[in-house]
Structure formats: C-alpha cells, structure tokens
C-alpha cells in the first residue's frame, strides 16, 4: 500500500509509453549506431555507392552520406539526431557528412562499453567534452596554408571528387571549381568571403561531363525574344532594365470613344511613337544588348530587332543581380535615365542550343564577381550526381579559400590526434581518463573504415598507422589504392580544416546529447515522423 493511504498519482496520460535508464540509453544508442552503420560502407574513395528507391519508385544512386540520409525514411528520434549531424556538417562545410555520422556512431559504441564497466554517462560526457576541446585545439598545428596557393586548392577539390562519378575527370572539374572560387572570392576588411550564390550552376542532360564549362559571366536559361535579332555579337554593351518595354496600361479601366477614324490612327501612332521612343533611348545609350526583367511587347520587339539589339525578357531577379555583378552594369528602372555609364560589358553574347533548350551565354566579363557553371552529363542520374559532386567540391574549395588552411586526409590527422589524446588522457586520470581514451580510439574509426572499404586488413593497417605516428610521421594515412600507410601530404590528399573540426564538434555534441537521455516518454499512437502529436499527444 502507499504509505499514507493515498492513491498513486498519474501525471502521464494513459497509454503513454515510457522507457527509462539503461534500456532507454541502449535503445537510443542502438538506433544511432544503426544509422552510422548504414553509411559506413560508402566512406572514402573506395566506398561503395548506394541505390535508394523511394515509395514512388524513384531511384537515386549516390555515394554521398547526406543524400543517403535525406532519402531514408527514419523514424527513431535518436536516429534523427544523427541525421542532424549530417545536415549541420553539410550546411557548414559541404563535406565530411559520412565521417561525422560514422564518428558519432563510434563514440556511442565506445560509451556503451564504458557504461557496461559502470562508468556513469555524465563522466563519459565530461571526458568526451574535454577530449573534443583538446583535439580541436590541436588541429591548427596540423594546418597547411592555402593562401595564394592554387595547387593546394586544386588538390582539395580533387580529394573531394575522389570516389564520385566525377572522379574520372577530377582535374578538369577541380580546375572549374578553383577558377570559380578565385573569381567570386572577396577580401573584406581582412575577412575572406566566398558567397556560393555568386556561382550560378545550370545543369543540362546530354553531352559528356567534359562538355561542362565555367562561364566568366552569366549563363541565362533564356533565348532572345525575336528571331530577327542577331544570334551572337561581340563587344557587348548591356542595358539592364527592370521595367516593362510596353505601352503603359492605365491603372483604372478607361474607355476611349472614337468618333472619327483619324482619331484611331493618331491614337495608335502615339502608342507606336512611345515604344519607338523607348527603344531609341536604349540604342542612344550605346546598348547592343538588352536584358529586361519585365515584358517586352511585340512592337518593341520589332523595333529592337530592327536596331539589332539582342534582347531578353522576363529575366529572373536573381539573374539581373548576377548580371550586374558580372558585367558591372547598373539595373535601371526608368529608361529616361539610361546612359552609357549604366551599361555592363561583355566580350561576347551568344545564344546556343544546349540539349533541348536555347541558352544565352554572356561571356568575357572583365573582373566578373559572379560566374556561371554549366554542368553536362549523359543521363539524368549522371548529371544529378555530377551536380552533387560539384557542389561538394566547390563548397570545400570555398571553405579552404576562406579559412586559408587545410589538413592532410586519409585518416592521418585523426590518427595523430588519437595518439596525442592518449598522452593527454594520462594527465587527467580517473574515470574521465577512460572516456578520453575511448574518444581517442573512436577517432581511429575513420582510418579503420577507409582501410576496410578499400579491402585492406583493418587490424594490420591500424597497427602500421599507429607505429608511423608513434615515430612522428604526422601525415601518415591510409593508402586505399595499394594498401599500407603513406604520407598523405606527398599523396596530395587534402581537405579543409573546418571539415574535420566541424565533424569532431558535432559528432561529440550529438553523442553527448544522446548519452544524457535516460528517459524516453512517447504518447501512444504518435507517429514519430509525421510531426503531429495528434489531439493531445506530444511531439518527439
Ligand atoms: P565524407 O562524406 O565524410 O566526406 P567521403 O566518402 O568523401 O566521406 O570520404 C572522406 C574520407 O576519405 C576522408 O577521411 C578523406 O580524407 C578520405 N580520402 C579521400 N581521398 C583519399 C585518398 N586518395 N586516400 C585516402 N583517403 C582518402
Ligand atoms: Mg567527401
């Protein structure tokens, strides 16, 4: 009976499911590990691709960790937290998603062993926190400078492209990435910034990857408005206009009563004069190209075509802004104000048929601060995968350009950190030492998985790697092609420092968050993935 005879108090609704303590923990850890295991086999240049089929039967073939996790229908809340790791990694660094997920899975696996040895989760969390802090502090000492060094940037891009469909044309794609980033990167009061929205990507099915190109200007998914206009021209002076080239419509519905046929003729003549006037103002400014954000009516098209002005209508606002940045032109609203000062410059403007559609290439812009990239590939799946590979590669190049520092890959830096953290652990002592040592071992999951995926014996490879690092070879990493351990600097396997830093950071934070949960309460009948808690259920 209850001590004072009171009935038990129920604070949760009937039917609420609750798991607590060890079982809640091991359940969460198991779910998180399952997610990590699902992407492990894709890690590294020798990682395998996955084919994902969704409920509609659509197929995605990819090697990209973030894409895989995005496509998988995952319900378990702890598993979803691991997916958040991949998302954060993707948003901040464009790469390293698989590594971050695999690392958080391994941290949780190692903590399970510690929990079994009766180390309390809060002690594990504290040890992990100390270890991550130390590891991140040590990263800088491994950095290699990228400043003014295109070679390093090219190798970073190539490393990101290794093992992807675009891998076969690595040097070609890497060159596009580096030229694009170098074009749009700006240094603002000592801060180095790359705005990736200044690199506009258009993908078109057909042709081969090698038909892809960087346009030092803008590629518009538009054709000229009138066939009588020149298909191409050199020494373009470009007017950027964001008002319509057409007869102004009155705000209110107006009716004009015409009693005399002459009146009609003069009315039409006036409209014609107005349009002709607009076109004359455009040509008088010296423009031979007109990009209009609004409409160009038929009459205007006729006069523009007669004047030989290459014209495009209904350009997107974002394209107008990109054009302004690329050509140095100013976007003008009132055509009366248009002067030669406002015109953008490009060496060539040309309409070309790409795949099914006509596109306009505005190229040869001196000092273009906005560029376009056209990606080609034989089939839809190929172009899509090329696009993802390009996004990763241009992303890491931009990160490396901004940070000015890269690290050697192939598990080399993680192996070095693992070695240094073991030494550090000894200075801490107690149970936290055990957690720091577990963290140190967890970092080795990356080189170990690289070895496994390359078909190498993980045990002998890791032993060789540890020996190399014990001997001070701090660039020693996994040779996925020939086996054994090599100097990753000499092999030119380079990745941005931020990718590794973020992976360690978010993997640790998530592992800690999951470890701290010892009570999972879910109301009955709540589907954990629809985001709705039902009438009175609560959301997970
Ligand atoms: P992620 O999603 O984590 O970026 P990847 O499949 O791109 O996963 O693999 C990245 C890992 O592969 C990194 O640890 C990187 O250092 C390593 N790597 C890349 N190229 C090589 C190479 N040529 N040799 C050995 N390791 C490599
Ligand atoms: Mg990668």
């Amino acid at each position: 009976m209850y001590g004072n005879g009171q009935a038990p108090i129920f604070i949760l609704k009937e039917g609420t499911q609750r798991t607590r303590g060890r079982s809640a923990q091991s359940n969460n850890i198991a779910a998180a590990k399952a997610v990590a295991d699902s992407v492990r086999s894709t890690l590294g240049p020798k990682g395998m691709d996955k084919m994902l089929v969704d409920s509609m039967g659509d197929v995605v073939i990819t090697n990209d960790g973030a894409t895989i996790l995005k496509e998988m229908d995952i319900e378990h809340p702890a598993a979803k937290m691991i997916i958040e790791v991949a998302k954060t990694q993707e948003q901040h660094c464009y790469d390293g998603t698989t590594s971050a997920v695999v690392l958080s899975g391994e941290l949780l696996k190692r903590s399970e062993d510690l929990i079994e040895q009766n180390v309390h989760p809060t002690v594990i969390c504290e040890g992990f926190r100390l270890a991550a802090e130390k590891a991140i502090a040590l990263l800088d000492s491994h950095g290699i400078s990228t400043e003014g060094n295109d070679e390093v940037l090219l190798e970073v891009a190539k490393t990101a492209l290794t093992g992807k469909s675009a891998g076969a044309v690595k040097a070609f794609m890497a060159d596009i990435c580096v030229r694009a980033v170098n074009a749009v990167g700006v240094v603002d009061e000592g801060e180095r910034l790359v705005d990736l929205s200044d690199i506009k990507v258009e993908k078109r099915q057909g042709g081969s990857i090698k038909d892809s190109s960087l346009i030092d200007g803008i590629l518009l998914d538009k054709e000229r408005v009138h066939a009588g206009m020149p298909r191409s021209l050199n020494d373009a002076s470009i007017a950027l206009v964001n008002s319509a080239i057409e007869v102004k419509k009155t705000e209110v519905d107006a009716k004009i009563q015409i009693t005399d046929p002459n009146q009609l003729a003069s009315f039409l003549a006036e409209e014609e004069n107005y349009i002709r006037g607009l076109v004359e103002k455009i040509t008088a400014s010296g423009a031979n190209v007109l990009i209009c954000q609004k409409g160009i009516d038929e009459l205007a098209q006729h006069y523009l075509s007669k004047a030989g002005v290459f014209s495009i209508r209904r350009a997107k606002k974002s394209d107008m802004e990109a054009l302004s940045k690329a050509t140095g032109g100013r976007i003008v609203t009132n055509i009366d104000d248009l002067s030669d000062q406002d015109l953008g410059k490009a060496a060539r403007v040309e309409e070309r048929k790409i795949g099914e559609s006509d596109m306009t290439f505005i190229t040869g812009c001196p000092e273009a601060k906005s560029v376009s990239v056209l990606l080609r590939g034989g089939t839809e799946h190929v172009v899509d995968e090329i696009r993802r590979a390009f996004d990763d590669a241009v992303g890491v190049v931009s990160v490396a350009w901004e940070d000015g520092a890269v690290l050697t890959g192939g598990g080399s830096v993680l192996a070095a950190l693992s070695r240094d953290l073991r030494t550090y652990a000894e200075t801490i002592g107690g149970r936290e030492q055990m957690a720091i040592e577990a963290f140190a071992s967890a970092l080795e999951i990356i080189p170990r998985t690289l070895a496994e995926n390359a078909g190498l014996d993980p045990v002998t490879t890791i032993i060789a790697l540890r020996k190399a690092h014990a001997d001070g070879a701090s660039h020693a990493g996994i040779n996925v092609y020939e086996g054994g351990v090599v100097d990753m600097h000499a092999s030119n396997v380079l990745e941005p420092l931020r990718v590794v830093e973020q992976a360690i950071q978010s993997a640790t934070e998530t592992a800690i968050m999951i470890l701290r949960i010892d009570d999972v309460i879910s109301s009955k009948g709540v589907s954990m993935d629809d985001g709705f808690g039902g009438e009175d259920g609560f959301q997970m």
Side-chain angles (χ1 to χ4, degrees):
M1 271 308 289
Y2 295 86
N4 51 11
Q6 248 184 7
I9 300 168
F10 294 103
I11 57 164
L12 294 172
K13 215 174 143 62
E14 194 184 349
T16 302
Q17 286 175 8
R18 184 165 188 180
T19 33
R20 289 205 238 196
R22 280 273 179 101
S23 84
Q25 234 146 26
S26 62
N27 182 312
N28 281 338
I29 293 175
K33 275 193 335 198
V35 175
D37 278 342
S38 71
V39 292
R40 250 192 87 173
S41 67
T42 70
L43 185 79
K46 291 273 184 135
M48 304 300 280
D49 288 353
K50 284 194 191 296
M51 179 189 268
L52 305 157
V53 186
D54 71 10
S55 53
M56 306 297 289
D58 286 341
V59 178
V60 178
I61 297 168
T62 184
N63 173 285
D64 184 62
T67 309
I68 295 169
L69 296 173
K70 226 181 289 163
E71 297 284 335
M72 288 195 328
D73 238 341
I74 286 177
E75 279 207 16
H76 196 285
K80 284 183 168 177
M81 287 167 73
I82 298 291
I83 294 176
E84 286 303 312
V85 175
K87 282 195 196 151
T88 312
Q89 186 74 25
E90 178 82 7
Q91 276 162 11
H92 291 277
C93 311
Y94 313 99
D95 196 20
T97 48
T98 315
S99 308
V101 167
V102 167
L103 185 56
S104 52
E106 187 66 13
L107 285 172
L108 287 165
K109 185 167 156 222
R110 298 273 166 181
S111 15
E112 224 174 10
D113 300 342
L114 291 174
I115 292 171
E116 252 157 48
Q117 295 170 53
N118 279 324
V119 180
H120 196 272
T122 52
V123 176
I124 302 174
C125 292
E126 182 55 17
F128 280 6
R129 198 186 55 73
L130 285 172
E133 220 166 66
K134 184 74 181 171
I136 287 168
L138 286 169
L139 275 186
D140 278 341
S141 64
H142 295 279
I144 298 163
S145 169
T146 64
E147 225 129 329
N149 195 340
D150 281 358
E151 276 310 308
V152 170
L153 292 177
L154 283 169
E155 296 305 336
V156 169
K158 283 197 231 166
T159 301
L161 292 165
T162 310
K164 313 234 171 182
S165 333
V169 287
K170 273 197 297 198
F172 175 78
M173 293 289 280
D175 178 61
I176 293 183
C177 293
V178 173
R179 281 193 292 135
V181 168
N182 275 333
V184 304
V186 289
V187 183
D188 187 13
E189 289 177 10
E191 260 215 68
R192 300 166 64 81
L193 277 175
V194 177
D195 185 346
L196 285 181
S197 62
D198 289 335
I199 300 172
K200 184 180 165 223
V201 182
E202 293 280 352
K203 53 176 181 148
R204 280 290 176 284
Q205 191 182 326
S208 82
I209 303 177
K210 282 246 179 178
D211 295 321
S212 303
S213 58
L214 174 76
I215 289 116
D216 56 344
I218 294 295
L219 178 56
L220 295 173
D221 187 9
K222 289 267 170 197
E223 51 190 316
R224 64 202 199 284
V225 289
H226 194 286
M229 292 171 180
R231 185 173 264 276
S232 67
L233 48 85
N234 293 331
D235 296 323
S237 293
I238 308 165
L240 304 173
V241 173
N242 73 353
S243 58
I245 321 278
E246 53 198 18
V247 177
K248 281 208 184 74
K249 305 219 171 49
T250 50
E251 295 276 325
V252 287
D253 275 340
K255 217 186 254 171
I256 302 172
Q257 271 200 344
I258 296 173
T259 47
D260 172 357
N262 289 333
Q263 266 180 328
L264 178 63
S266 80
F267 180 71
L268 291 177
E270 203 159 308
E271 281 200 351
E272 210 172 310
N273 279 339
Y274 172 73
I275 293 291
R276 196 185 312 135
L278 284 182
V279 172
E280 270 165 10
K281 278 171 202 154
I282 291 166
T283 50
S285 72
N288 53 8
V289 175
L290 165 69
I291 314 285
C292 183
Q293 198 184 323
K294 303 276 167 59
I296 301 178
D297 73 12
E298 264 176 43
L299 200 53
Q301 290 176 21
H302 166 76
Y303 285 122
L304 285 164
S305 153
K306 261 177 55 179
V309 178
F310 183 112
S311 313
I312 281 181
R313 67 173 165 178
R314 302 201 194 288
K316 279 189 278 181
K317 184 160 186 276
S318 58
D319 284 345
M320 295 298 288
E321 280 154 12
L323 272 160
S324 172
K325 270 192 173 176
T327 65
R330 199 173 68 86
I331 300 171
V332 170
T333 309
N334 187 348
I335 292 181
D336 289 331
D337 297 342
L338 186 69
S339 81
D340 63 339
Q341 299 290 313
D342 301 317
L343 303 180
K345 298 286 173 204
R348 189 170 171 76
V349 171
E350 182 182 4
E351 184 183 296
R352 255 188 263 165
K353 196 167 192 69
I354 301 295
E356 300 287 282
S357 57
D358 287 316
M359 304 184 93
T360 298
F361 289 70
I362 298 175
T363 57
C365 303
E367 307 285 305
K369 277 290 163 209
S370 177
V371 295
S372 292
V373 173
L374 174 62
L375 296 178
R376 306 297 309 274
T379 70
E380 200 187 327
H381 289 305
V382 174
V383 219
D384 286 349
E385 185 68 357
I386 297 287
R387 168 81 206 245
R388 283 190 286 270
F390 176 80
D391 285 347
D392 278 7
V394 81
V396 292
V397 172
S398 75
V399 166
W401 194 93
E402 285 183 348
D403 292 359
V406 298
L407 299 174
T408 51
S412 57
V413 167
L414 296 164
L417 293 177
S418 177
R419 173 200 63 195
D420 295 342
L421 285 179
R422 285 202 182 90
T423 318
Y424 170 64
E426 285 167 19
T427 67
I428 301 290
R431 296 196 154 212
E432 266 142 23
Q433 174 176 348
M434 291 170 79
I436 297 171
E437 279 164 358
F439 189 101
S441 305
L443 294 180
E444 285 178 341
I445 189 65
I446 302 298
R448 180 149 24 96
T449 307
L450 288 172
E452 271 174 31
N453 290 350
L456 309 173
D457 180 67
V459 177
T460 43
T461 313
I462 288 295
I463 290 172
L465 184 65
R466 281 188 188 163
K467 172 144 192 351
H469 281 273
D471 296 344
S474 59
H475 293 313
I478 308 299
N479 184 347
V480 294
Y481 300 107
E482 281 153 42
V485 165
V486 284
D487 184 307
M488 299 319 280
H489 199 0
S491 315
N492 278 323
V493 176
L494 301 174
E495 52 204 14
L497 192 144
R498 201 191 302 172
V499 170
V500 180
E501 179 177 331
Q502 181 67 47
I504 293 177
Q505 191 128 24
S506 44
T508 309
E509 278 168 11
T510 306
I512 289 178
M513 222 190 287
I514 290 176
L515 281 172
R516 292 176 62 92
I517 300 169
D518 79 337
D519 197 352
V520 175
I521 307 164
S522 57
S523 61
K524 199 173 134 197
V526 176
S527 158
M528 282 186 266
D529 73 338
D530 66 7
F532 294 98
E535 280 174 321
D536 47 10
F538 67 80
Q539 288 172 244
M540 291 301 294

